[in-house]
């Protein structure tokens, strides 16, 4: 989902996957290409792929020959809903800060 503010500033896009991260600390190629397509079509600088569960640490890549970054983050859906909401809010804050820095 992507949002724009009332001043038409662009915000990062998130793609939440209800599946387990495939391993090796990175999303599937199909998920990466899908996120790149979102960022390109919406003219955004960053995109975030969230997996329902992951074993690898968070990672960010810069797409070669572009100004686009794609970040991967696992979410623990087994934690209490209050903590999951805190984690999601933290990711949204982090994405907004990183997007502001790259402006």
């Amino acid at each position: 989902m992507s949002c724009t503010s009332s001043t038409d500033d662009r915000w990062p896009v998130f793609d939440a996957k209800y599946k387990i991260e495939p391993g090796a600390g990175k999303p599937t190629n199909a998920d990466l290409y899908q996120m790149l397509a979102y960022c390109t079509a919406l003219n955004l600088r960053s995109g975030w792929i969230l997996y329902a569960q992951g074993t690898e640490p968070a990672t960010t890549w810069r797409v070669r020959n572009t100004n686009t970054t794609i970040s991967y983050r696992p979410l623990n859906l087994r934690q209490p809903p209050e903590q999951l909401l805190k984690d999601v809010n933290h990711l949204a804050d982090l994405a907004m800060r990183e997007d502001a820095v790259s402006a």
Side-chain angles (χ1 to χ4, degrees):
M1 174 162 91
S2 177
C3 302
T4 58
S5 71
S6 59
T7 60
D8 200 32
D9 293 328
R10 299 268 179 209
W11 294 356
V13 66
F14 289 85
D15 187 5
K17 305 289 188 183
Y18 191 70
K19 59 185 177 182
I20 296 172
E21 165 243 295
K26 70 178 261 186
T28 64
N29 283 341
D31 291 345
L32 289 167
Y33 283 121
Q34 182 179 28
M35 180 53 68
L36 180 58
Y38 292 156
C39 291
T40 300
L42 297 169
N43 195 28
L44 300 173
R45 290 184 296 265
S46 62
W48 294 67
I49 300 173
L50 309 176
Y51 277 99
Q53 181 180 342
T55 58
E56 300 295 326
T59 308
T60 300
W61 301 272
R62 179 164 296 280
V63 179
R64 190 182 323 180
N65 299 321
T66 72
N67 290 325
T68 303
T69 60
I70 298 175
S71 297
Y72 152 76
R73 298 293 187 274
L75 289 174
N76 179 1
L77 299 185
R78 293 182 181 176
Q79 63 187 335
E82 299 80 17
Q83 185 58 47
L84 179 60
L85 184 57
K86 285 181 184 178
D87 289 353
V88 170
N89 284 330
H90 172 74
L91 286 174
D93 290 341
L94 180 62
M96 293 302 295
R97 283 194 309 271
E98 286 186 7
D99 199 51
V101 169
S102 66

